[in-house]
Amino acid sequence: MAVCARLCGVGQSRRCRRRQRNDQQDQGSDSDMDEEEEERIVGQRRSDAGSCGGPGRVAAAAATAGPSDACEYGSGHINRGGSNTGPPHPESLMELPPEILVEIFSLLPGTVLPNVALVCKKIRQILNTETIWRRRCLEEFGMKEDLRKMEAGGVSSQDLYVKLLHPYRHILGLWQPDIGPYGGLLNVVVDGLFIIGWMYLPPHDPRVEDPMRRRPLFRIHLLESKKATVECMYGHKGPHKGDIQTVKKDEFSTKCNQTDHHRMPGGRQEEFRTWLEEEWGRTLEEIFHEHMQELILMKFIYTSQYDNCLTYRRIYLPPMMPSDLLQPGLFKGTYGSHGLEIVMLSFHGTSARATKLTGDPNVPAGQLTLDVDLSQPIDLPELDQQRNIDVLSRIILGIHEKVQRGVEQPAGDTSASVGRAAKESGGTVAESMEVDHGACADASQSGSSTSSPPPETQPFVLPLGVMARNEVYPRTWRKCFYGTGLIAGHGFTSPERTPGLFVLFDEDRFGFIWLELKSFSLYSRLTDHLPHANAPNMERFEAMLRNMQSWTS
């Protein structure tokens, strides 16, 4: 490190070295030894470039240098008595050509560049080079736009980084708004020369496999001045004044300063008709179910009162583990009269859990909607028996009773229960099932890695009498497991977990048969790119899940 500091000009100052050389002229052999050591160090600079003279290591030394260290040392060169006839090698960071210094400083994180600028006037001038800040915008925030055009318009890359991207970096990522039981999903991203908060909305019911819809709620930019401007995008009159406040870590709030922009000339009726068309893709006259009309009107009244003045809490995407049954992440699911909702699928040992990001007055956002026991695989019978709801009920309720009693399910009991159910319905074991030995493996092996080939699929059909919002659903299954779903009365009263069947169709779709409700929910993966959203580790993710449930419990 001493050698690196000396070569970079972070060691002794030039005055100290000149004084030391004058003192050493009278020291005889000691001076010769110092000269030999100095010769060896300087002569090996090129060979040492990879270990201590590379741009990254030199940049690190510059980031920690003091003001007097880098500027006072290194303008002179050592004369080797004619042994080196080529041009003298620079002995400090400050003797490097400006273009090399620009390359070195552009490797440093933008957060340390203000400290580097304090070293001396020359470095401060070099750090005003747009190339450095252009690279920081690209590498740290993924900006793909041609920043040179922006610079020609009067906004520099340095201003963009220092006044917009860096101050608001803490709000990038996924957030859940505090809208009572309804929740939501906000994704804050760098979009062009803006930071935009996009509210993600599920597709119109029941088209669960359609892409997500997006609506901008706010944006931040530097277009009109050299100061970051926050604008509310809610309503139908265009951008208007807004504000963003950081309440505490992993939490921020938005406020609209001109809520009159949210009003429409036709009053609340026109606002409701417009909201209904955007939210559901239909008019109130096209919704014949009276209970569904009440739920829709209730949601409009509840959500519109906030006027985009909301508090958001950070959420993370679940980390991927090698033993996971499939890639965890976000899915859209059907929830009867409540329409489509967004859930987060994650894996915890022998359990797969789906947590609501959007909710309803019965089961609010943040609650654990599905809890699947991966140690309880189920082999479905052939299609004729699958259509019989009584057969499926006996299988699931049999496992449910054993789980409730805390008795472990032996490896062959599930197949036996299928056989008993088939006999009671008048069939034979051979006719009612095909034993999948892989599905009855140990719980730790029940999840398949994404790198392994997909398992063999089997035919699937919903039992008669089970309601499904989607008439078109997958007709083959890979694996099935026992699980429970959360149901409750209005206002989240009398919540209870009811048994059901988790069906894995493929890597992007799964379903759940709610046995007590005799209904089927189909879930489809959300495929949008969500930057700045991955959990740092499993501990942080599980802590976030616990907090989500406490927000609405």
Side-chain angles (χ1 to χ4, degrees):
M1 290 300 296
V3 174
C4 292
R6 185 174 180 182
L7 293 178
C8 297
V10 189
Q12 297 171 323
S13 69
R14 180 174 20 158
R15 298 170 184 172
C16 294
R17 293 190 64 230
R18 186 184 299 115
R19 190 182 302 113
Q20 184 180 18
R21 284 198 296 268
N22 292 336
D23 294 340
Q24 288 177 346
Q25 289 179 356
D26 300 328
Q27 293 181 0
S29 60
D30 291 341
S31 177
D32 294 338
M33 292 178 62
D34 291 342
E35 282 291 316
E36 292 176 2
E37 178 66 12
E38 193 170 73
E39 178 93 17
R40 184 183 64 81
I41 293 174
V42 177
Q44 291 182 351
R45 288 184 60 197
R46 291 186 177 180
S47 61
D48 292 343
S51 60
C52 66
R57 193 68 67 88
V58 174
T64 58
S68 63
D69 293 335
C71 293
E72 293 187 6
Y73 168 73
S75 62
H77 306 290
I78 298 176
N79 189 352
R80 297 295 165 234
S83 60
N84 186 1
T85 58
H89 295 296
E91 295 182 0
S92 77
L93 184 68
M94 301 309 300
E95 293 181 6
L96 293 173
E99 61 271 17
I100 300 300
L101 292 176
V102 168
E103 179 66 21
I104 292 173
F105 293 144
S106 65
L107 297 174
L108 294 173
T111 52
V112 306
L113 292 181
N115 291 334
V116 177
L118 298 176
V119 172
C120 67
K121 182 178 180 180
K122 180 177 180 180
I123 288 183
R124 184 164 61 253
Q125 292 174 343
I126 292 175
L127 288 179
N128 289 327
T129 306
E130 285 295 278
T131 303
I132 297 175
W133 298 100
R134 199 180 300 135
R135 184 167 179 176
R136 290 298 91 221
C137 293
L138 175 64
E139 294 186 358
E140 295 183 25
F141 298 97
M143 297 194 66
K144 300 178 181 178
E145 287 67 32
D146 189 351
L147 297 180
R148 292 181 177 85
K149 294 182 179 180
M150 177 199 68
E151 294 161 7
V155 179
S156 68
S157 296
Q158 183 175 358
D159 285 340
L160 185 67
Y161 185 98
V162 173
K163 298 180 180 180
L164 178 64
L165 300 179
H166 179 69
Y168 290 97
R169 71 193 185 283
H170 60 279
I171 70 171
L172 298 177
L174 290 181
W175 303 83
Q176 186 179 44
D178 185 7
I179 315 180
Y182 298 103
L185 179 64
L186 180 80
N187 187 26
V188 183
V189 297
V190 178
D191 193 336
L193 303 181
F194 300 86
I195 292 178
I196 301 182
W198 293 99
M199 179 67 81
Y200 274 66
L201 304 173
H204 292 140
D205 181 55
R207 300 194 293 268
V208 69
E209 297 192 41
D210 284 2
M212 295 287 290
R213 298 175 294 127
R214 299 191 309 171
R215 183 173 65 194
L217 292 189
F218 63 84
R219 71 179 187 180
I220 316 170
H221 62 82
L222 293 175
L223 296 183
E224 298 176 357
S225 66
K226 291 298 183 68
K227 182 180 178 181
T229 302
V230 179
E231 294 178 331
C232 175
M233 302 290 288
Y234 189 79
H236 301 272
K237 295 183 179 179
H240 47 282
K241 292 182 180 180
D243 190 23
I244 290 179
Q245 296 179 345
T246 301
V247 180
K248 56 184 179 181
K249 184 180 179 181
D250 293 336
E251 185 174 316
F252 76 94
S253 297
T254 58
K255 180 182 178 181
C256 177
N257 298 329
Q258 294 177 292
T259 55
D260 56 298
H261 280 64
H262 305 169
R263 308 283 82 87
M264 301 188 73
R268 297 289 279 176
Q269 290 186 351
E270 183 181 359
E271 293 172 14
F272 174 66
R273 287 195 300 267
T274 304
W275 175 87
L276 183 61
E277 186 174 352
E278 293 177 351
E279 189 84 6
W280 292 83
R282 64 184 81 173
T283 63
L284 193 62
E285 292 74 22
E286 295 173 332
I287 302 174
F288 302 105
H289 199 291
E290 184 177 351
H291 178 60
M292 192 172 183
Q293 291 180 350
E294 294 175 354
L295 292 173
I296 291 173
L297 183 59
M298 184 187 309
K299 184 175 183 179
F300 169 74
I301 295 174
Y302 193 98
T303 57
S304 61
Q305 66 180 332
Y306 287 92
D307 269 335
N308 204 25
C309 299
L310 298 168
T311 298
Y312 298 88
R313 299 182 179 94
R314 182 179 294 280
I315 58 178
Y316 295 111
L317 293 179
M320 176 70 179
M321 301 298 177
S323 60
D324 289 349
L325 184 67
L326 71 158
Q327 174 73 39
L330 305 183
F331 290 78
K332 306 153 283 183
T334 54
Y335 280 86
S337 300
H338 299 293
L340 300 186
E341 298 184 9
I342 306 173
V343 303
M344 176 184 292
L345 180 69
S346 57
F347 294 90
H348 310 262
T350 59
S351 176
R353 300 170 187 171
T355 305
K356 280 192 172 187
L357 297 185
T358 60
D360 51 69
N362 290 72
V363 179
Q367 295 301 313
L368 182 62
T369 179
L370 301 180
D371 191 0
V372 183
D373 190 345
L374 300 179
S375 67
Q376 301 292 342
I378 295 178
D379 292 332
L380 295 182
E382 293 183 352
L383 287 179
D384 291 342
Q385 296 297 320
Q386 289 184 34
R387 292 188 174 93
N388 191 333
I389 185 63
D390 294 331
V391 173
L392 184 63
S393 298
R394 293 189 188 99
I395 298 172
I396 296 176
L397 291 178
I399 298 176
H400 182 67
E401 292 175 1
K402 291 184 178 181
V403 171
Q404 294 298 310
R405 292 197 303 264
V407 179
E408 292 187 2
Q409 176 84 358
D413 276 9
T414 303
S415 300
S417 63
V418 176
R420 289 194 299 271
K423 291 180 180 178
E424 292 174 3
S425 60
T428 64
V429 177
E431 293 173 347
S432 63
M433 72 172 188
E434 293 179 5
V435 178
D436 182 1
H437 297 284
C440 297
D442 184 77
S444 62
Q445 301 298 325
S446 60
S448 60
S449 173
T450 55
S451 61
S452 61
E456 183 180 357
T457 59
Q458 301 291 335
F460 175 78
V461 66
L462 284 175
L464 298 177
V466 173
M467 297 178 296
R469 302 285 291 178
N470 302 77
E471 297 181 358
V472 179
Y473 58 87
R475 295 308 176 105
T476 58
W477 62 278
R478 289 186 181 182
K479 291 187 177 183
C480 295
F481 298 91
Y482 158 82
T484 60
L486 182 61
I487 61 175
H490 187 82
F492 198 41
T493 57
S494 305
E496 62 174 316
R497 305 210 67 86
T498 180
L501 178 69
F502 175 89
V503 185
L504 176 62
F505 297 115
D506 51 44
E507 288 294 323
D508 296 322
R509 294 179 297 177
F510 65 87
F512 190 79
I513 297 178
W514 306 75
L515 198 59
E516 182 175 335
L517 303 179
K518 291 186 178 180
S519 66
F520 172 73
S521 293
L522 177 64
Y523 299 83
S524 177
R525 185 181 298 277
L526 191 154
T527 57
D528 299 66
H529 176 58
L530 304 173
H532 308 285
N534 294 322
N537 49 58
M538 195 63 183
E539 290 73 18
R540 288 281 295 274
F541 176 76
E542 291 180 342
M544 178 211 70
L545 286 184
R546 290 191 296 269
N547 291 335
M548 285 180 61
Q549 295 178 10
S550 67
W551 299 338
T552 55
S553 295

